[in-house]
Amino acid sequence: MRAHVLHEPELEFRAGNRHIDPRYGISVYGPADADSPTAPHQIPIALVGPAQAVDGIRRWLQRCQDRIDAKDTKPGQENLHQPFPGFRADSPFGAELVFDDALVREIPERQLRRLTRADIASATAEAVEIYSDAARSLAETGRCRVVICARPDELNDREDRPPSTEGAAEHGEEQDERQAGGDFHDLLKATALTLPAPLQLMRKETWTGIPARTGGQAARPLQDEATRAWNLHTALYYKAGGTPWRMQRHSSDLATCYVGVSFYRTANGQELHTAVAQVFNERGDGVVVRGGTAQISKNDLQPHLELPDARRLLLDALAEYRSAHGHQPARIVVHKTSNFTPGEIGGFHEAADNRDIDHVDMLWIQRRGAPHLYRTEQLPPLRGTTVKLDARSLLLYTRGSVPYFRTYPGMYVPQPLLIRPASQGTDLLVAGTDILALSKMNWNNAQLDERDPLTLRTAYRVGSILKHVPTDARIATRYAYYM
C-alpha cells in the first residue's frame, strides 16, 4: 500500500480569485458574491436577551467593525492565526451590521430569575417560549436579516455537562456552543423554522472573552478574539444571504448535487425518521429536505430506507435543488454514515433515472473504526493523506498536519475517515477530493481543516432540531436556519 497526499482544495472568492484559506481569501479578495447585486452589504440585526447581555453584544460587535489583531504564534506559523480585518462597508467583507433600538427585545430579569427556581425541563421550555416570542415579534417586522439571541445564564439545561473531547477537537467553539446550549439551542431553533429571519445564538464568553466554568469543571477552552470574530461574522454574512466562499469548479466539471442522508428519532424516541440535511451545489447553497420513516435492519442494526422511500427522498431533494438553483444537476453524490442496502441503492438509482441523471456516486463514510497511520516524525499524517486499502475502500485524513500552518492545529490525535463506494465506477481519489473540499464548507468556522464534509456535518445539526418539530409541520428549507 502506498500513501498519496491530495492537494489542498482551493476555494473561490471575489472575481474568481482562489486560495486554500477562507480567512486569507476574504481578507485579500473579499467574499465570493461581493460583486453580486444580492450580496448583503447592509445587515440589519435584531437583538434578544437581558439588558446587560444586549449591551455587551452590541459593544463587542461595534468593536469588531475594526481590525482585531491575531493571536501570537510561533515563528513560521503566522498563517495559523490571522487578524480579523473588521466588518464594515469599507472592509474586505464589504458589509456592515446595522443596529436599531427598535430591533431590540430586552428580557426582564424577573422572567429570567424564574428559570433558576424551576426544574430543568420546565425552565428550558419557559426560556424557549420567552425567547421565541421575542424573536418572532422582531423577525415579523421584516426589518432584520438575522436575530441574535443571548443565551440566558440562568438556564442550566446542560451546563453541568462538559463538552466531549471529540466535539471540542473536531468542531471547535461552535460545537461547544451547541453542547452547552443543549436542548435550549435545539428547541429554540425548532420554534424559529418558520420565521422570516434565521437565529444566531451567542454565549456570554463570545463577547466577554472570559471562559465559562460549568458545574465545577475547569473552564472550557476559548478561542482568541480574532478567531471568534471571524467565525461569528462569517456565519452572520451567510445567514443574511451571502456567500463567503464557494468550492472551486472548472468549466468542464459536471454540475453536482451533494446529498447527505442521516437519521434521527423524534423527541419521544418512538419513531425513526430520515433527514436530508445537505442538498448542496458547488457554490455551497444548501436546502433541507425531510423524508419518511426508516427501519432498523436486523443485519447491521442500523436505520435504512425501503426502496420507495429512498426514491421519494432523492426525488424530493432534486425538486428542492431545482427550485433553489433553477436547473437539474448532471451528477449526484450521496453520502451516508451507514452502509447502503440494495433497496436504498435501487431507490436512489430510480430517482436519478426518473430525472435522466446518468452520474450517481453513493459513498459510505465511516467516521470511527478506521485504521490509523503514523509518520516517522512527531506530527500526525498530513491533511489529505489517502491510502487505498483495497479496490473498494479509501482511508482519508481530513484533519492532520497542515503545511500552510506548519503544524498540526488540533489538540487530539486526528481520526481518519474510511470511504467505501456503493456505486459502480466511482473514482475513489475524486471522491476523496470532493470530501476534502466539502470539509471546508462550514460557515461557522473560518479555519480550513474541519473533519467532516458539509454533507455529514449539517445532518447532525438538522436532525437534532427536526426531532422537535411535528412531522406534518412546515419547516425552513434553507440551511441557514439550522446552523
Side-chain angles (χ1 to χ4, degrees):
M1 292 187 296
R2 292 178 61 87
H4 175 77
V5 180
L6 301 175
H7 291 292
E8 185 66 56
E10 290 186 317
L11 299 170
E12 189 175 297
F13 301 92
R14 184 178 188 173
N17 288 288
R18 295 170 180 171
H19 198 270
I20 64 172
D21 189 339
R23 298 166 301 179
Y24 181 94
I26 288 180
S27 295
V28 175
Y29 307 119
D33 66 340
D35 296 326
S36 169
T38 59
H41 298 300
Q42 287 197 323
I43 305 174
I45 61 168
L47 297 170
V48 177
Q52 187 175 8
V54 167
D55 290 342
I57 291 174
R58 186 164 178 167
R59 285 195 303 270
W60 188 67
L61 292 178
Q62 289 172 334
R63 166 174 163 72
C64 292
Q65 293 174 347
D66 299 316
R67 173 188 166 98
I68 297 176
D69 290 335
K71 176 182 177 180
D72 291 336
T73 55
K74 296 179 181 179
Q77 296 181 2
E78 291 79 10
N79 291 333
L80 180 58
H81 297 287
Q82 296 189 20
F84 180 67
F87 199 85
R88 56 198 308 163
D90 58 354
S91 75
F93 274 97
E96 61 182 352
L97 301 180
V98 178
F99 301 95
D100 185 342
D101 290 340
L103 293 177
V104 173
R105 293 291 182 273
E106 293 183 356
I107 307 299
E109 293 290 341
R110 171 181 56 82
Q111 292 182 331
L112 296 174
R113 284 196 299 270
R114 286 207 307 264
L115 302 180
T116 63
R117 298 192 291 268
D119 61 86
I120 292 176
S122 299
T124 301
E126 184 173 355
V128 168
E129 182 178 3
I130 293 170
Y131 273 71
S132 62
D133 287 346
R136 178 168 287 103
S137 71
L138 292 167
E140 290 180 348
T141 66
R143 296 168 54 198
C144 60
R145 301 286 288 273
V146 184
V147 180
I148 298 179
C149 297
R151 188 185 185 281
D153 292 336
E154 292 80 2
L155 190 63
N156 295 311
D157 54 339
R158 290 187 183 177
E159 284 290 350
D160 290 335
R161 306 180 191 180
S164 68
T165 55
E166 182 178 1
E170 292 177 11
H171 303 314
E173 182 189 9
E174 189 275 333
Q175 176 74 2
D176 289 353
E177 174 192 358
R178 176 174 176 269
Q179 291 180 341
D183 289 341
F184 174 74
H185 175 283
D186 299 341
L187 284 165
L188 183 59
K189 288 293 184 84
T191 64
L193 292 182
T194 58
L195 296 185
L199 304 187
Q200 173 70 44
L201 271 66
M202 286 182 66
R203 293 186 289 113
K204 187 176 181 179
E205 302 94 286
T206 302
W207 70 83
T208 64
I210 302 173
R213 295 181 179 273
T214 58
Q217 301 286 334
R220 284 189 299 266
L222 186 65
Q223 292 171 322
D224 63 280
E225 187 176 25
T227 299
R228 299 198 308 273
W230 267 115
N231 293 344
L232 177 67
H233 288 82
T234 301
L236 291 176
Y237 188 86
Y238 176 72
K239 290 184 178 184
T243 303
W245 57 83
R246 59 174 66 107
M247 289 170 61
Q248 176 184 352
R249 180 169 178 255
H250 298 287
S251 58
S252 59
D253 291 343
L254 297 175
T256 302
C257 172
Y258 297 97
V259 180
V261 179
S262 66
F263 305 94
Y264 66 93
R265 288 191 179 274
T266 51
N268 59 17
Q270 298 300 312
E271 193 172 1
L272 187 67
H273 289 272
T274 178
V276 176
Q278 53 293 353
V279 183
F280 291 98
N281 68 357
E282 304 89 344
R283 298 170 60 87
D285 301 323
V287 293
V288 172
V289 177
R290 183 164 54 176
T293 303
Q295 304 297 327
I296 298 295
S297 169
K298 294 181 180 179
N299 294 326
D300 61 4
L301 302 180
Q302 295 295 317
H304 292 286
L305 293 168
E306 300 293 338
L307 187 149
D309 294 316
R311 180 180 62 241
R312 172 49 52 191
L313 183 61
L314 189 52
L315 285 173
D316 289 346
L318 291 171
E320 287 290 348
Y321 181 97
R322 179 165 185 167
S323 175
H325 309 307
H327 62 84
Q328 288 284 16
R331 174 176 173 243
I332 302 170
V333 177
V334 182
H335 290 167
K336 280 177 75 228
T337 56
S338 60
N339 195 11
F340 288 79
T341 63
E344 290 170 332
I345 294 173
F348 292 144
H349 274 304
E350 285 189 11
D353 292 342
N354 185 274
R355 294 294 183 265
D356 296 324
I357 299 172
D358 297 327
H359 304 277
V360 181
D361 289 323
M362 291 175 251
L363 300 171
W364 172 19
I365 303 177
Q366 294 178 243
R367 301 180 66 254
R368 292 180 176 83
H372 286 55
L373 304 179
Y374 295 92
R375 296 172 68 192
T376 54
E377 304 172 19
Q378 292 183 347
L379 293 177
L382 295 171
R383 169 176 153 86
T385 297
T386 64
V387 172
K388 281 190 177 182
L389 302 180
D390 54 51
R392 303 288 294 171
S393 58
L394 180 76
L395 194 71
L396 171 64
Y397 274 84
T398 51
R399 294 222 76 201
S401 302
V402 179
Y404 180 69
F405 295 152
R406 296 190 178 181
T407 188
Y408 168 56
M411 298 173 61
Y412 305 93
V413 176
Q415 309 290 311
L417 302 175
L418 185 59
I419 304 165
R420 298 180 185 273
S423 45
Q424 299 297 322
T426 296
D427 187 319
L428 283 174
L429 289 181
V430 171
T433 300
D434 273 352
I435 290 171
L436 199 64
L438 287 166
S439 73
K440 305 173 82 154
M441 301 299 289
N442 173 22
W443 298 285
N444 270 324
N445 188 345
Q447 190 164 298
L448 62 84
D449 64 331
E450 282 285 312
R451 183 193 180 198
D452 292 329
L454 183 67
T455 44
L456 298 186
R457 192 179 197 283
T458 57
Y460 314 140
R461 179 165 296 281
V462 170
S464 69
I465 293 170
L466 286 185
K467 71 179 183 181
H468 299 293
V469 181
T471 304
D472 57 350
R474 185 171 68 90
I475 64 170
T477 59
R478 192 170 156 236
Y479 172 56
Y481 279 78
Y482 300 86
M483 60 180 279

Short mmCIF file of all heavy atoms in Angstrom, two decimals, residues 244-267:
data_model
loop_
_atom_site.label_atom_id
_atom_site.label_comp_id
_atom_site.label_asym_id
_atom_site.label_seq_id
_atom_site.Cartn_x
_atom_site.Cartn_y
_atom_site.Cartn_z
N PRO A 244 -19.84 33.55 1.53
CA PRO A 244 -18.46 33.94 1.89
C PRO A 244 -17.42 33.36 0.94
O PRO A 244 -16.49 34.04 0.54
CB PRO A 244 -18.31 33.38 3.31
CG PRO A 244 -19.71 33.24 3.83
CD PRO A 244 -20.54 32.89 2.64
N TRP A 245 -17.55 32.07 0.61
CA TRP A 245 -16.67 31.42 -0.34
C TRP A 245 -17.42 30.26 -0.95
O TRP A 245 -18.47 29.85 -0.46
CB TRP A 245 -15.37 30.95 0.31
CG TRP A 245 -15.56 30.00 1.46
CD1 TRP A 245 -15.76 28.66 1.41
CD2 TRP A 245 -15.56 30.35 2.86
NE1 TRP A 245 -15.90 28.13 2.68
CE2 TRP A 245 -15.78 29.15 3.59
CE3 TRP A 245 -15.40 31.53 3.56
CZ2 TRP A 245 -15.84 29.12 4.98
CZ3 TRP A 245 -15.47 31.50 4.94
CH2 TRP A 245 -15.68 30.31 5.65
N ARG A 246 -16.90 29.72 -2.04
CA ARG A 246 -17.54 28.58 -2.68
C ARG A 246 -16.47 27.60 -3.14
O ARG A 246 -15.29 27.94 -3.24
CB ARG A 246 -18.41 29.01 -3.86
CG ARG A 246 -17.68 29.76 -4.95
CD ARG A 246 -18.58 30.02 -6.16
NE ARG A 246 -19.67 30.91 -5.84
CZ ARG A 246 -19.76 32.18 -6.25
NH1 ARG A 246 -18.78 32.68 -6.99
NH2 ARG A 246 -20.78 32.93 -5.94
N MET A 247 -16.89 26.37 -3.42
CA MET A 247 -15.96 25.38 -3.92
C MET A 247 -15.51 25.75 -5.34
O MET A 247 -16.27 26.32 -6.11
CB MET A 247 -16.62 24.00 -3.93
CG MET A 247 -16.84 23.41 -2.56
SD MET A 247 -17.86 21.92 -2.57
CE MET A 247 -16.90 20.82 -3.58
N GLN A 248 -14.27 25.43 -5.62
CA GLN A 248 -13.74 25.67 -6.96
C GLN A 248 -14.43 24.72 -7.95
O GLN A 248 -14.63 23.54 -7.66
CB GLN A 248 -12.25 25.43 -6.96
CG GLN A 248 -11.58 25.54 -8.32
CD GLN A 248 -10.11 25.19 -8.26
OE1 GLN A 248 -9.54 24.99 -7.20
NE2 GLN A 248 -9.48 25.10 -9.41
N ARG A 249 -14.79 25.25 -9.11
CA ARG A 249 -15.40 24.42 -10.14
C ARG A 249 -14.85 24.81 -11.49
O ARG A 249 -14.91 25.97 -11.89
CB ARG A 249 -16.93 24.56 -10.14
CG ARG A 249 -17.62 23.72 -11.21
CD ARG A 249 -19.13 23.70 -11.00
NE ARG A 249 -19.77 22.93 -12.05
CZ ARG A 249 -20.44 23.45 -13.07
NH1 ARG A 249 -20.57 24.76 -13.16
NH2 ARG A 249 -20.99 22.69 -13.99
N HIS A 250 -14.28 23.82 -12.19
CA HIS A 250 -13.77 24.07 -13.54
C HIS A 250 -14.93 24.04 -14.53
O HIS A 250 -15.97 23.42 -14.30
CB HIS A 250 -12.73 23.02 -13.91
CG HIS A 250 -11.52 23.02 -13.02
ND1 HIS A 250 -10.56 24.02 -13.07
CD2 HIS A 250 -11.13 22.19 -12.03
CE1 HIS A 250 -9.62 23.77 -12.17
NE2 HIS A 250 -9.94 22.67 -11.52
N SER A 251 -14.74 24.71 -15.65
CA SER A 251 -15.80 24.80 -16.65
C SER A 251 -16.19 23.44 -17.20
O SER A 251 -17.32 23.24 -17.65
CB SER A 251 -15.36 25.70 -17.81
OG SER A 251 -14.17 25.21 -18.41
N SER A 252 -15.27 22.47 -17.15
CA SER A 252 -15.55 21.13 -17.66
C SER A 252 -16.20 20.21 -16.63
O SER A 252 -16.62 19.10 -16.96
CB SER A 252 -14.25 20.48 -18.16
OG SER A 252 -13.30 20.39 -17.10
N ASP A 253 -16.29 20.67 -15.37
CA ASP A 253 -16.87 19.83 -14.31
C ASP A 253 -18.39 19.75 -14.48
O ASP A 253 -19.05 20.71 -14.89
CB ASP A 253 -16.55 20.41 -12.94
CG ASP A 253 -15.08 20.29 -12.59
OD1 ASP A 253 -14.39 19.49 -13.25
OD2 ASP A 253 -14.63 21.00 -11.67
N LEU A 254 -18.93 18.59 -14.13
CA LEU A 254 -20.38 18.41 -14.15
C LEU A 254 -21.00 19.15 -12.98
O LEU A 254 -20.46 19.16 -11.86
CB LEU A 254 -20.73 16.92 -14.06
CG LEU A 254 -20.26 16.03 -15.21
CD1 LEU A 254 -20.58 14.57 -14.90
CD2 LEU A 254 -20.90 16.44 -16.52
N ALA A 255 -22.15 19.78 -13.21
CA ALA A 255 -22.90 20.39 -12.11
C ALA A 255 -23.34 19.29 -11.16
O ALA A 255 -24.03 18.34 -11.56
CB ALA A 255 -24.11 21.15 -12.65
N THR A 256 -22.92 19.39 -9.90
CA THR A 256 -23.09 18.29 -8.95
C THR A 256 -24.01 18.68 -7.81
O THR A 256 -23.93 19.79 -7.27
CB THR A 256 -21.73 17.86 -8.38
OG1 THR A 256 -20.88 17.45 -9.46
CG2 THR A 256 -21.89 16.70 -7.40
N CYS A 257 -24.88 17.76 -7.45
CA CYS A 257 -25.73 17.89 -6.26
C CYS A 257 -25.20 16.94 -5.20
O CYS A 257 -25.16 15.72 -5.41
CB CYS A 257 -27.18 17.55 -6.61
SG CYS A 257 -28.30 17.45 -5.19
N TYR A 258 -24.74 17.49 -4.08
CA TYR A 258 -24.25 16.69 -2.96
C TYR A 258 -25.38 16.50 -1.95
O TYR A 258 -25.98 17.48 -1.49
CB TYR A 258 -23.06 17.37 -2.30
CG TYR A 258 -21.86 17.54 -3.20
CD1 TYR A 258 -21.63 18.74 -3.87
CD2 TYR A 258 -20.97 16.50 -3.40
CE1 TYR A 258 -20.53 18.90 -4.71
CE2 TYR A 258 -19.87 16.65 -4.24
CZ TYR A 258 -19.66 17.85 -4.89
OH TYR A 258 -18.57 18.00 -5.72
N VAL A 259 -25.64 15.25 -1.60
CA VAL A 259 -26.75 14.94 -0.70
C VAL A 259 -26.22 14.12 0.47
O VAL A 259 -25.52 13.12 0.27
CB VAL A 259 -27.87 14.14 -1.41
CG1 VAL A 259 -29.01 13.85 -0.45
CG2 VAL A 259 -28.37 14.90 -2.63
N GLY A 260 -26.54 14.53 1.68
CA GLY A 260 -26.16 13.76 2.85
C GLY A 260 -27.41 13.21 3.52
O GLY A 260 -28.35 13.94 3.79
N VAL A 261 -27.44 11.92 3.75
CA VAL A 261 -28.60 11.27 4.36
C VAL A 261 -28.26 10.88 5.79
O VAL A 261 -27.24 10.22 6.04
CB VAL A 261 -29.01 10.01 3.56
CG1 VAL A 261 -30.19 9.32 4.20
CG2 VAL A 261 -29.34 10.39 2.12
N SER A 262 -29.10 11.29 6.72
CA SER A 262 -28.90 10.90 8.12
C SER A 262 -30.26 10.58 8.72
O SER A 262 -31.30 10.85 8.13
CB SER A 262 -28.23 12.02 8.91
OG SER A 262 -29.09 13.14 9.01
N PHE A 263 -30.24 9.99 9.90
CA PHE A 263 -31.47 9.55 10.56
C PHE A 263 -31.54 10.11 11.97
O PHE A 263 -30.51 10.31 12.61
CB PHE A 263 -31.52 8.02 10.61
CG PHE A 263 -31.38 7.38 9.25
CD1 PHE A 263 -30.14 6.97 8.78
CD2 PHE A 263 -32.47 7.21 8.44
CE1 PHE A 263 -30.00 6.40 7.54
CE2 PHE A 263 -32.36 6.64 7.18
CZ PHE A 263 -31.11 6.23 6.73
N TYR A 264 -32.75 10.35 12.44
CA TYR A 264 -32.93 10.85 13.79
C TYR A 264 -34.24 10.34 14.36
O TYR A 264 -35.18 10.03 13.62
CB TYR A 264 -32.93 12.39 13.81
CG TYR A 264 -34.11 13.01 13.10
CD1 TYR A 264 -35.26 13.36 13.80
CD2 TYR A 264 -34.07 13.25 11.73
CE1 TYR A 264 -36.34 13.92 13.15
CE2 TYR A 264 -35.15 13.81 11.08
CZ TYR A 264 -36.28 14.15 11.79
OH TYR A 264 -37.35 14.70 11.15
N ARG A 265 -34.28 10.26 15.66
CA ARG A 265 -35.52 9.87 16.34
C ARG A 265 -36.30 11.11 16.74
O ARG A 265 -35.72 12.16 17.02
CB ARG A 265 -35.23 9.02 17.59
CG ARG A 265 -34.74 7.62 17.26
CD ARG A 265 -34.74 6.74 18.51
NE ARG A 265 -34.29 5.40 18.18
CZ ARG A 265 -35.08 4.44 17.72
NH1 ARG A 265 -36.36 4.69 17.53
NH2 ARG A 265 -34.60 3.25 17.45
N THR A 266 -37.62 10.98 16.79
CA THR A 266 -38.44 12.06 17.30
C THR A 266 -38.12 12.26 18.77
O THR A 266 -37.51 11.42 19.42
CB THR A 266 -39.93 11.74 17.12
OG1 THR A 266 -40.20 10.44 17.67
CG2 THR A 266 -40.31 11.74 15.65
N ALA A 267 -38.56 13.40 19.32
CA ALA A 267 -38.21 13.74 20.69
C ALA A 267 -38.67 12.69 21.69
O ALA A 267 -38.03 12.46 22.71
CB ALA A 267 -38.80 15.10 21.05
#
